[in-house]
Amino acid sequence: MKLEMICTGEEVLAGQIVDTNAAWLGNQLMNHGFEMHRRTTVGDRLKDLIEVFEERSQYADIILVNGGLGPTADDLSAQAMADAMGVPLVENQQWLDQLRIWGAERGITLTASNLKQAWLPEGAVLVDNPVGSACGFRVKLNRAWLFFTPGVPHEYKKMVLEQFLPFVKAEAGLQSKVEVTKILSIGMGESTMAERLEKLSWPAGITLGYRAYMPYLELKLIARDVPQAQQTMAIEQAMAELGDAVVARDQDTLAAEVHQLLLTKESTLAVAESLTGGDICNQLVTFSGSSNYLKQGVVSYCNEAKMSLLKVSEHCIEQNTEVSLLCAAQMAAGVASANTKIRTTDFALATTGIAGPSGGTEQNPIGTVVIAVKANHQVYCQTIRLSSQRSRAYIRDISAAIALDMLRRAIIGISPIAEYHYITRVNSAVYPISELLT
């Protein structure tokens, strides 16, 4: 079955807004065992809309059309679809009644522009929008069903999840069982992963899919009518082949995995950030319940803050610099006990380094990063070296991900120091916590 998407809007076509709706749909389809075959972007011009509807309907089986259903003059999707079908627009009484209820609940007097949203191509099947004033609809043209949704993201996403995906499954005649397992990785390139995995034998019905998004590479194992035992074997085979690069399963980020582990283990955490400037804490507090484990976070960007807030010794900085294993270790030990009103946290993270594009030295060139994690009565530290040709944002993103992975590994009781494919480790050390707090 061929699935396509048509994105409408001058602002999308001109690049004035980033089309996150399309990327989100592609990922949702993949998660449910489907693939998008083509995506077309078209502006708010009636002739162009008619042409693209007529053309793509001859090749696709289902097309999701996003946008152009609002009350303004440039919302032309319904009119263009009616013209492509050679039928008039007719008023849909069901949605007209819903619009009147919608307006009354909000104290809004409906105008002709509002009422325009109840006019659909003759013969169209109404698609309910439970959170907005623009309904969706679907029609058949040539070989394709065209399924129309508004462009407002929270309306569109609810309609896709509750109505479009069930429609796709029904049209596909899914008697088969489709299951998707997501394996999240860092430190391995897509070509390397594909080379390693695609030389292996996989059970019939298993399909591999890849999705790269900074700083992760996600592997999808799509299983269609595959017995559970064979699915388990395939998952274990993939994880064994990828080794330390695997950082989570069925999670979108490392922060989500760490969040769940800390809650499950009922552990506490403190974070000291120099290089990452608060990014690690920001990722964790995205999730409700993070206050149960995150006790304190300190952004110690200057040396004075490292010494005054985290008790890093002046001698350490003078002798080793602030970009050193010992400094990171003292930062982790210091932040774990920074709040005297609570006991020392179970875990602590610290980051320091040089993200560039300036500030590098011969001893510590741009891309030098030091990360420490405190677990039990020890602090594990490593210095990594990232390419100085990479952007400041890239260096900070990768550093935050490796720091979270070191924490993840410490929580589950394995060595926090891992081997990543394209990340160079310069050195590492383990310090007893007692030596750092003296």
Side-chain angles (χ1 to χ4, degrees), residues 318-330:
E318 289 178 350
Q319 295 296 313
N320 303 281
T321 81
E322 66 274 23
V323 185
S324 63
L325 295 171
L326 184 58
C327 180
Q330 289 188 359

Side-chain angles (χ1 to χ4, degrees), residues 181-423:
T181 300
K182 298 188 293 184
I183 298 175
L184 196 66
S185 74
I186 61 171
M188 180 175 289
E190 189 169 353
S191 60
T192 301
M193 180 180 290
E195 183 180 350
R196 288 189 177 189
L197 295 178
E198 291 171 12
K199 69 182 180 182
L200 304 177
S201 297
W202 299 93
I206 293 285
T207 303
L208 307 183
Y210 307 92
R211 175 193 173 206
Y213 58 106
M214 180 57 58
Y216 305 110
L217 175 57
E218 180 184 80
L219 169 69
K220 285 186 174 71
L221 291 176
I222 305 168
R224 295 180 175 89
D225 283 332
V226 179
Q228 189 60 55
Q230 292 189 5
Q231 286 188 51
T232 300
M233 182 197 74
I235 293 166
E236 291 176 349
Q237 176 175 264
M239 295 181 71
E241 185 65 32
L242 300 181
D244 282 350
V246 175
V247 297
R249 176 175 160 184
D250 294 325
Q251 297 280 19
D252 292 327
T253 65
L254 253 170
E257 177 75 1
V258 167
H259 169 80
Q260 193 56 54
L261 286 172
L262 287 168
L263 287 179
T264 301
K265 300 283 188 178
E266 297 184 345
S267 300
T268 54
L269 172 68
V271 183
E273 300 186 64
S274 181
L275 172 82
T276 49
D279 285 353
I280 294 171
C281 285
N282 182 59
Q283 290 185 48
L284 293 173
V285 300
T286 298
F287 303 100
S288 176
S290 54
S291 60
N292 289 309
Y293 58 79
L294 185 57
K295 298 308 177 183
Q296 59 246 3
V298 175
V299 178
S300 53
Y301 219 65
C302 66
N303 289 341
E304 291 78 9
K306 292 178 177 69
M307 291 186 288
S308 63
L309 299 177
L310 302 175
K311 309 307 178 187
V312 175
S313 71
E314 184 175 1
H315 180 266
C316 168
I317 293 176
E318 289 178 350
Q319 295 296 313
N320 303 281
T321 81
E322 66 274 23
V323 185
S324 63
L325 295 171
L326 184 58
C327 180
Q330 289 188 359
M331 289 171 65
V335 78
S337 56
N339 190 336
T340 58
K341 293 185 179 180
I342 63 173
R343 66 183 178 85
T344 300
T345 56
D346 299 311
F347 299 96
L349 270 181
T351 63
T352 183
I354 303 172
S358 61
T361 66
E362 184 176 352
Q363 180 182 358
N364 291 317
I366 294 167
T368 303
V369 178
V370 189
I371 305 169
V373 59
K374 177 252 179 193
N376 299 317
H377 302 293
Q378 294 182 306
V379 178
Y380 302 82
C381 313
Q382 65 172 327
T383 303
I384 60 174
R385 189 71 49 77
L386 304 173
S387 171
S388 61
Q389 303 305 308
R390 292 288 194 168
S391 69
R392 180 179 179 86
Y394 173 91
I395 291 172
R396 294 175 70 241
D397 287 346
I398 288 289
S399 300
I402 294 174
L404 286 167
D405 193 40
M406 289 178 68
L407 175 58
R408 176 192 70 87
R409 294 171 66 89
I411 295 170
I412 63 176
I414 62 177
S415 171
I417 310 297
E419 297 293 339
Y420 306 111
H421 179 73
Y422 62 72
I423 295 170

